[in-house]
Amino acid sequence: MTSFTEHEQNIFVSFYLQMPESNKRLVLVAVICVTTLLLLLMYCKTMGSFSLASQQMVIKPKRSTFPRQLPPSPSCECMNHSVLLKDVLPKEQREAIMQRRTKEFQQHKARTSSVLSKLLYALPNSPLQYPIQGYTVRPLTPTLIPVLELHAGKRDSYKRAARLAQVSPAAEGGLGTFSSGQLPSSQPRCSKHHEGSAAGAQPPKKQAKTEQQLATETARLHRELEEVFLNVSKGILTTVTPDAQVTVNGAGTRGLSIESSSLVLLNELLAKVSYTSSTYHINSGDLAFFRFESHEALFPIVIKQPQVPVLYDMGTDIRSQVTIITKTFLRYPQLKVLLASIRKFYPDITVIIADDSFEPEHISGENIQQYIMPPAQGWFAGRNLAVSQVITKYLLWVDDDFFFTENTKIEEFVEVMEAVPELDVVGGSVEGNQFYFSILYEEGDGVEGGCLIRKSGGKFHPLPDLPKCYFTHGVVNFFLARTDAVRRVGFDPQLQRVAHSEFFMDGLGSLMVATCQDVKIGHQRKTAENTNPRYAKFRTPTKSDDGFKSQLHYFKNHLKCFLYS
Ligand SMILES: *[C@@H]1O[C@H](CO)[C@@H](O)[C@H](O)[C@H]1NC(C)=O
Ligand SMILES: *[C@@H]1O[C@H](CO)[C@@H](O)[C@H](O)[C@H]1NC(C)=O
């Protein structure tokens, strides 16, 4: 604003003091008049822009804006004493291994996530009705979208204003200067000068177009048209052919709009909107965008090929329900003790033995299947081989140096599994040792990898109505499991020597595991006769075994560090 500089003020004051009294009075009156005029002008200008701003604020549509996705997860912190897996990689190959891992991880992400993992928000006060969960379609198959409806109340001036603002550039946060002609009549008019400058800021051509748009829009509003818009990205939208009072645009494309002066007719067409995915995928999703005026919504569409169930017939007795499996290597004395103890309690149950001994010894007997492997194929390879031959719903894993007692009641395990059908694995106790653990896992930032701690003794709450059984993440080497679930996770045959927890790590989040204290099995004592020095040599992990395991965790499990505690 205009103001006097200090210098100008000084000149003015000294000039004023030198004047005669009568002149002074005249000057004073003049100064008061000018000041009043200036103040009035300033007031007008401020009020003008203020009311313009407030007008913009009022008519700016309460556009529903979806908050952005949550920020990416931060990298996880390795606990003290963790093994830092990057350090274990051979120096000269480190870069190449890291690059290969990054590529595989990206593929893993692509396989395991979809738009359906996106966080969606329902915004308040919306007249839009749509499915929020459970709308599932088969690939390439038209499927009606249920409950699609518009609940627009009677229009009021606010809604009209919102509609107006929607087509004006002001609402888009552009230049946003209205000429007086565009503003509703309630807009206070202060000075001609202001109007002129505001209109002058805009190119005349653009203004004309905006006015024309507004005129069209206003005309539409006067006819009280309702219009909804829907779009999707991986399919097309269709509805039935409308009658005269409804206009449908984009049927058979990704974006569909329906317009009518009748809410009833519009809703009739909305109720008949179908989605058809246009690409084949067995397990994917799409997000539908639904808009009416300034109200927006996103809802998920699950695209899924139904799976054929694979069921097991439980038959009538324990033999048709459970197969006992074990893996042996150079421990025939122990194996024979185990088999004899099994037969004492379960005379005809099937026993599967995977055997990778150097000089295999034939094991005979009713319902005993011995599978001879190439020598020293390893621990998990043997477990996998045995699992692959099971035809019953459940398998019971035992080590070859265990022995059955009167407390080895397989039926109790089966009862637990049948009572809680979501369970995949239930462990017991070996010579009084229930050994169970939880796995604390953080995915990390997706670049360095996750952090994992195997925590001995970790468990959750008891199973419903089974106070002696608890949910946990991993159990001891004596467990009953669903055959299909174990096959899905598998025992990684790369793990040749000491390995057990690794199965539960690979299965974290896919296996429901529990531990029960009442089902027990015995562990044979080491004696001079049953100890094979050659066995010990293979069984004891070497430094290179540990290094290999760490590399496996680094790459396969995309871990940064792990800790067994
Ligand atoms: C790790 O150990 C250091 C030193 O003993 C200690 O200050 C720190 O709090 C520990 N960090 C964690 C995560 O336990
Ligand atoms: C659907 O329309 C909205 C608004 O026009 C747009 O922002 C969005 O990108 C569109 N979505 C798809 C999948 O085309």
Side-chain angles (χ1 to χ4, degrees):
M1 272 314 299
T2 356
S3 74
F4 297 108
T5 66
E6 212 175 309
H7 179 65
E8 283 166 339
Q9 272 173 14
N10 287 343
I11 291 175
F12 181 80
V13 169
S14 56
F15 182 71
Y16 176 77
L17 287 174
Q18 285 161 22
M19 274 183 187
E21 248 350 87
S22 58
N23 283 8
K24 272 186 187 174
R25 206 169 300 142
L26 238 154
V27 167
L28 211 71
V29 170
V31 163
I32 289 169
C33 279
V34 166
T35 312
T36 315
L37 212 79
L38 262 169
L39 278 173
L40 210 82
L41 244 158
M42 269 171 72
Y43 171 80
C44 242
K45 197 162 181 179
T46 327
M47 278 317 286
S49 54
F50 172 73
S51 49
L52 184 69
S54 67
Q55 191 65 25
Q56 281 183 17
M57 267 170 60
V58 168
I59 62 175
K60 187 163 182 158
K62 289 230 168 102
R63 201 166 277 252
S64 346
T65 42
F66 294 105
R68 286 172 184 278
Q69 279 285 75
L70 294 178
S73 48
S75 65
C76 54
E77 204 180 320
C78 296
M79 295 300 281
N80 286 338
H81 313 298
S82 286
V83 182
L84 298 174
L85 299 172
K86 212 156 116 184
D87 302 345
V88 183
L89 305 177
K91 257 206 180 74
E92 64 287 357
Q93 295 173 33
R94 197 171 289 174
E95 253 330 290
I97 292 173
M98 283 162 64
Q99 279 175 18
R100 293 203 298 272
R101 186 179 84 154
T102 302
K103 178 178 158 276
E104 289 303 319
F105 188 65
Q106 280 163 358
Q107 288 198 359
H108 164 78
K109 279 282 173 204
R111 288 174 60 83
T112 54
S113 59
S114 75
V115 289
L116 300 180
S117 343
K118 194 180 154 147
L119 191 59
L120 296 182
Y121 295 83
L123 293 157
N125 306 324
S126 172
L128 302 171
Q129 177 181 296
Y130 51 89
I132 57 165
Q133 183 185 275
Y135 175 52
T136 304
V137 305
R138 292 166 181 239
L140 310 173
T141 311
T143 312
L144 220 53
I145 305 178
V147 307
L148 223 48
E149 216 168 284
L150 178 64
H151 291 258
K154 211 147 178 59
R155 283 154 184 284
D156 53 32
S157 59
Y158 167 74
K159 275 183 185 158
R160 287 191 192 189
R163 189 77 176 262
L164 272 168
Q166 221 177 330
V167 291
S168 84
E172 306 303 327
L175 277 171
T177 32
F178 285 94
S179 78
S180 63
Q182 285 173 304
L183 293 169
S185 51
S186 62
Q187 167 71 12
R189 291 174 190 219
C190 222
S191 77
K192 195 87 188 140
H193 169 79
H194 168 62
E195 251 178 65
S197 78
Q202 227 170 27
K205 211 177 159 192
K206 193 173 176 188
Q207 194 192 342
K209 197 183 161 207
T210 312
E211 265 168 9
Q212 195 192 336
Q213 278 181 352
L214 274 162
T216 324
E217 189 61 25
T218 312
R220 276 153 56 105
L221 278 169
H222 286 160
R223 280 185 280 124
E224 298 262 302
L225 276 181
E226 317 268 6
E227 185 196 358
V228 291
F229 174 73
L230 279 152
N231 69 2
V232 292
S233 58
K234 290 185 193 157
I236 55 160
L237 296 164
T238 47
T239 185
V240 293
T241 318
D243 70 20
Q245 292 180 65
V246 189
T247 312
V248 173
N249 282 312
T253 71
R254 290 177 179 183
L256 176 76
S257 69
I258 307 175
E259 201 179 275
S260 176
S261 53
S262 154
L263 184 60
V264 174
L265 292 178
L266 184 127
N267 276 331
E268 271 176 22
L269 281 199
L270 267 182
K272 287 169 184 147
V273 173
S274 278
Y275 172 84
T276 312
S277 81
S278 42
T279 51
Y280 176 76
H281 200 296
I282 55 164
N283 192 11
S284 173
D286 200 347
L287 294 179
F289 170 84
F290 188 14
R291 184 182 67 207
F292 168 68
E293 292 185 340
S294 61
H295 301 285
E296 297 180 349
L298 274 179
F299 64 87
I301 300 170
V302 180
I303 305 169
K304 194 161 172 43
Q305 171 63 54
Q307 281 176 271
V308 176
V310 177
L311 308 178
Y312 288 85
D313 184 352
M314 287 276 284
T316 51
D317 60 1
I318 196 77
R319 195 182 123 62
S320 55
Q321 295 163 355
V322 180
T323 304
I324 299 174
I325 65 169
T326 189
K327 147 91 181 46
T328 193
F329 176 65
L330 310 175
R331 292 211 291 202
Y332 291 108
Q334 285 94 328
L335 180 65
K336 285 172 185 164
V337 172
L338 170 71
L339 290 174
S341 72
I342 293 173
R343 283 293 170 255
K344 195 170 153 199
F345 299 100
Y346 296 97
D348 58 0
I349 200 164
T350 303
V351 182
I352 293 177
I353 303 156
D355 187 345
D356 64 347
S357 303
F358 289 102
E359 293 102 22
E361 187 181 311
H362 182 65
I363 306 288
S364 57
E366 276 284 291
N367 301 319
I368 289 176
Q369 303 170 12
Q370 181 189 20
Y371 291 89
I372 312 287
M373 303 169 70
Q377 275 299 290
W379 181 227
F380 267 26
R383 280 192 178 192
N384 257 350
L385 174 63
V387 168
S388 75
Q389 300 305 308
V390 175
I391 58 167
T392 51
K393 179 175 178 179
Y394 298 116
L395 57 85
L396 182 82
W397 175 267
V398 294
D399 280 4
D400 58 355
D401 61 347
F402 290 173
F403 67 95
F404 274 53
T405 70
E406 62 276 11
N407 291 320
T408 314
K409 294 217 168 62
I410 307 177
E411 293 84 350
E412 280 186 24
F413 271 156
V414 173
E415 268 171 38
V416 171
M417 294 292 280
E418 291 289 306
V420 188
E422 309 96 293
L423 267 186
D424 295 299
V425 179
V426 57
S429 85
V430 177
E431 203 69 43
N433 179 6
Q434 211 176 334
F435 180 72
Y436 48 82
F437 55 91
S438 59
I439 299 169
L440 312 180
Y441 170 61
E442 285 179 63
E443 292 161 279
D445 59 5
V447 177
E448 287 188 293
C451 303
L452 187 145
I453 301 170
R454 190 203 65 180
K455 197 160 169 270
S456 297
K459 66 178 178 184
F460 311 108
H461 56 84
L463 269 57
D465 303 322
L466 294 161
K468 289 181 176 171
C469 302
Y470 286 82
F471 287 109
T472 183
H473 282 149
V475 291
V476 71
N477 275 3
F478 169 54
F479 57 81
L480 187 89
R482 290 187 62 99
T483 305
D484 53 5
V486 172
R487 282 199 187 126
R488 228 174 22 243
V489 175
F491 296 97
D492 188 342
Q494 296 185 85
L495 293 163
Q496 294 195 306
R497 308 286 170 83
V498 178
H500 177 68
S501 309
E502 289 77 4
F503 166 69
F504 294 100
M505 288 180 198
D506 288 354
L508 185 69
S510 99
L511 296 177
M512 281 279 265
V513 183
T515 178
C516 295
Q517 65 190 50
D518 277 356
V519 185
K520 299 168 184 163
I521 200 164
H523 196 180
Q524 297 173 41
R525 298 262 140 76
K526 283 196 177 75
T527 63
E529 298 95 68
N530 73 16
T531 308
N532 186 331
R534 209 170 169 193
Y535 175 84
K537 187 171 147 268
F538 274 87
R539 177 69 197 252
T540 314
T542 63
K543 219 171 156 101
S544 79
D545 283 336
D546 284 344
F548 175 76
K549 224 187 218 184
S550 297
Q551 284 185 47
L552 200 64
H553 283 319
Y554 175 81
F555 200 112
K556 187 178 84 172
N557 300 128
H558 200 259
L559 291 182
K560 174 165 79 171
C561 51
F562 78 86
L563 173 68
Y564 286 1
S565 73

